Amino acid sequence: MFFHNKGKRRIRMSLPVITAFLFLTLVLSGCSQKDDTYDIAVFIPGVTEGSPTYSEMADGVLAAAKERDKVEASVIEGGFNQGDWGEKVKALAASGDWDLIVTTNPALPKICEAISREFPQQKFLILDGFLEGNPSIYTLRYHQMEQGYLAGTFAALVTGSDMSGADKEHLSVGMIVGQEYPDMNQAIRPGFERGVKRVAPEAKIEFRVVGNWFDASKGSELASSLYDSGTDVILTIAGGANQGVVAAAKERGRYVLWFDTAGYDVAPGTVIGSTAVEQYRAAYEKSLAAIDGTLPFGSAEVASTKDGWITFVENDEHYRETVPKELRERQHRFLEDLKQGNPPLPLLEEER
């Protein structure tokens, strides 16, 4: 975990030191009046290293802070234990030091809603989450059913192709995820399945869970089992465990799909497809709106392919070099159709 003030070097702290630091902050906040600087805390529900969407959020907020006078932003890593996030965010709110807390994760809206009842003056900007009606909270939710759908259409195109790592006589694709959670089970996974079935109704769809967001060995074990049983391509959404999936694919000449950011450079020729969300843009634009006093707290925005918030990353040399033109053209048509609302996809499916 670290605190990072813009323009200053990064300082790493152990958990006991951080706890003492936050306690001292609470004490001092009761003895002094906050100055006229607009202060933003960027709470990372995990760590930034190896987490591109978290890094993009932090970078977007820091860039927004640089655009305005008397605005400072600090980045606080919350670690992998979700059970600790509530107390850590609560400590930030209780300090009274922050005009805005920016964070991202589908679990954070409920956590922040509970905190806002105790500290109603604290404002929250939450990306990749959904909650409306709370005057202290603004959320922006990516239409992850659409994102999963685009990954699914591409996975099906690959398994049914003549690419060297695919066996079109035995259509099989897979997903490996860090953990199950509502948006995974009601948006991403059903979206992926709909995309696969749109292209290859007979394809087999495998689903495996690592159990955490960091165990690369477990990720490799699960991926190896799937590849050895005939799965050609795996969509991996498993944090640090993604590296294990990539390693297993490289050993076997199979394929991986990336999620949320362009992952082609991770393993060119192995990572052959990526969906992405505009996390940097969201953090930058929405933070500026909050600073300027125009962000509509209490509302919940849905970000979709239609408005360019979600896409399938096509403008990449590794993608063009690895994937045959015919497949790229077909995937492009699926993307353009989705922008026009075809097929119409719900935000969520009923809970499984």
Side-chain angles (χ1 to χ4, degrees):
M1 182 183 289
F2 66 84
F3 285 71
H4 175 223
N5 290 322
K6 186 165 178 60
K8 300 180 182 179
R9 68 184 181 88
R10 180 176 296 179
I11 305 171
R12 294 195 173 273
M13 300 182 181
S14 67
L15 184 57
V17 172
I18 290 168
T19 302
F21 176 87
L22 290 175
F23 176 77
L24 180 60
T25 299
L26 293 177
V27 173
L28 292 178
S29 68
C31 302
S32 61
Q33 187 174 4
K34 189 180 182 303
D35 59 26
D36 62 351
T37 301
Y38 190 94
D39 294 296
I40 305 174
V42 184
F43 181 78
I44 304 296
V47 298
T48 51
E49 185 176 359
S51 303
T53 55
Y54 293 163
S55 298
E56 289 177 2
M57 177 184 68
D59 290 344
V61 176
L62 293 172
K66 188 176 180 181
E67 289 284 318
R68 299 291 187 264
D69 295 331
K70 294 185 177 181
V71 177
E72 295 183 3
S74 300
V75 178
I76 301 104
E77 291 184 331
F80 290 112
N81 186 352
Q82 185 171 333
D84 293 339
W85 295 349
E87 286 303 313
K88 292 176 179 179
V89 175
K90 183 178 179 179
L92 294 173
S95 73
D97 288 342
W98 310 101
D99 297 281
L100 179 69
I101 296 174
V102 183
T103 188
T104 180
N105 189 280
L108 264 300
K110 286 189 176 180
I111 291 173
C112 294
E113 182 180 34
I115 294 169
S116 73
R117 288 195 289 268
E118 190 170 351
F119 302 99
Q121 300 306 311
Q122 180 64 64
K123 299 298 185 184
F124 297 91
L125 162 56
I126 306 173
L127 305 178
D128 196 19
F130 187 88
L131 178 74
E132 56 186 344
N134 186 311
S136 299
I137 300 174
Y138 169 90
T139 62
L140 183 143
R141 176 186 208 149
Y142 299 112
H143 198 318
Q144 292 189 310
M145 179 82 77
E146 292 185 347
Q147 191 178 357
Y149 175 85
L150 289 172
T153 58
F154 188 68
L157 289 173
V158 170
T159 192
S161 74
D162 292 321
M163 294 178 67
S164 61
D167 180 3
K168 64 181 181 181
E169 300 302 321
H170 302 89
L171 306 182
S172 181
V173 304
M175 286 184 70
I176 292 179
V177 305
Q179 292 176 316
E180 294 185 80
Y181 52 94
D183 278 18
M184 173 59 68
N185 291 334
Q186 295 177 255
I188 302 171
R189 183 179 177 184
F192 182 76
E193 292 171 349
R194 288 182 186 217
V196 171
K197 297 302 182 183
R198 176 72 179 266
V199 177
E202 69 279 23
K204 185 177 182 181
I205 304 173
E206 302 281 7
F207 183 80
R208 300 289 187 274
V209 181
V210 176
N212 58 61
W213 299 96
F214 54 83
D215 193 342
S217 295
K218 184 66 172 180
S220 176
E221 176 188 329
L222 293 174
S224 297
S225 176
L226 288 182
Y227 289 132
D228 291 345
S229 66
T231 299
D232 295 323
V233 56
I234 294 173
L235 169 62
T236 183
I237 309 174
N242 287 342
Q243 297 303 323
V245 178
V246 171
K250 290 176 71 173
E251 289 175 2
R252 293 161 174 79
R254 299 297 178 90
Y255 302 122
V256 173
L257 304 185
W258 220 245
F259 202 75
D260 280 346
T261 60
Y264 300 106
D265 289 340
V266 172
T270 298
V271 177
I272 60 168
S274 292
T275 60
V277 297
E278 291 288 338
Q279 183 85 328
Y280 177 92
R281 172 190 164 196
Y284 174 77
E285 291 182 4
K286 304 308 178 182
S287 293
L288 277 182
I291 294 166
D292 295 341
T294 60
L295 190 67
F297 289 99
S299 63
E301 182 179 352
V302 175
S304 67
T305 55
K306 179 180 179 181
D307 300 313
W309 289 103
I310 297 170
T311 193
F312 187 89
V313 183
E314 302 171 298
N315 186 25
D316 184 276
E317 61 178 335
H318 299 308
Y319 175 65
R320 293 191 296 268
E321 290 172 357
T322 305
V323 180
K325 182 179 180 181
E326 179 186 357
L327 267 65
R328 287 186 277 118
E329 290 177 344
R330 291 186 65 187
Q331 179 67 6
H332 181 74
R333 287 197 293 272
F334 285 124
L335 174 60
E336 292 303 310
D337 285 347
L338 196 56
K339 289 179 181 179
Q340 301 302 316
N342 179 30
L345 296 174
L347 272 174
L348 297 172
E349 272 193 356
E350 292 299 321
E351 191 169 358
R352 292 171 180 249

